[in-house]
Amino acid sequence: VDVGSSINPAIDVGQIEGAFAQGMGWSTIEEVIYADDDHSWIRPRGKVFTTGPEPTNDVPEEFNITILENVSNPFAVHSSKAIGEPPFFLGTSVFYAIKDAVAAARREHLGEDTYFEMHMPATSERIRMLCADEISAASISKVIGSTETDIKTFQPRGSY
């Protein structure tokens, strides 16, 4: 990671790890649901509900970070650079790995490689319903009286 001329490499590594974990949580479990007539179980009305933050056991056990050396930044204090935001978006790599796994499950269960949309966050409910296996097919058919086409194109709306 390019942090410019690091003032304190230990702090930089901690910032990178924390930003990645935050980005991973944002793309996999942090779902915002507003309390309104459709979501009456959220109290009080007008409150925002989210399932984050992520548990610490979801952070990768092996997390290799390399800081580029001798990279100057003449426009900042001591040639340093901001390091919080770029690693945040590296957390979306977890979302895309999950999407690849769901695509593999869909290939296995549908027998074809079809396009599908997968919206963030990749909650366990969305993952389960997008796999297009017997369990999700039974659930979809019970709710909407599905056909095979419905199972291929079904889009979970959220974790509620």
Side-chain angles (χ1 to χ4, degrees), residues 24-154:
M24 180 180 69
W26 173 72
S27 63
T28 59
I29 63 172
E30 293 185 14
E31 184 169 26
V32 177
I33 303 171
Y34 299 96
D36 58 14
D37 291 337
D38 293 331
H39 309 99
S40 58
W41 51 271
I42 302 173
R43 301 272 190 237
R45 188 175 172 85
K47 182 178 179 182
V48 175
F49 173 79
T50 182
T51 58
E54 70 281 340
T56 55
N57 61 348
D58 289 342
V59 176
E61 284 185 32
E62 185 175 328
F63 198 145
N64 300 317
I65 297 171
T66 303
I67 296 177
L68 295 176
E69 296 180 15
N70 301 320
V71 181
S72 65
N73 179 14
F75 304 106
V77 177
H78 298 290
S79 289
S80 63
K81 290 184 178 180
I83 58 165
E85 291 78 11
F88 175 85
F89 289 103
L90 289 175
T92 60
S93 63
V94 176
F95 171 82
Y96 290 107
I98 292 169
K99 186 173 181 181
D100 285 347
V102 169
R106 291 173 68 87
R107 273 192 302 277
E108 180 181 332
H109 298 295
L110 297 174
E112 58 186 73
D113 196 5
T114 57
Y115 170 80
F116 69 99
E117 289 186 21
M118 183 170 175
H119 299 287
M120 283 188 182
T123 60
S124 57
E125 297 89 351
R126 284 192 175 132
I127 295 166
R128 169 80 264 163
M129 296 307 290
L130 286 171
C131 283
D133 63 355
E134 306 81 35
I135 296 170
S136 59
S139 298
I140 294 166
S141 66
K142 193 165 197 109
V143 172
I144 62 174
S146 72
T147 64
E148 186 176 329
T149 304
D150 293 331
I151 293 166
K152 291 179 183 177
T153 60
F154 179 77

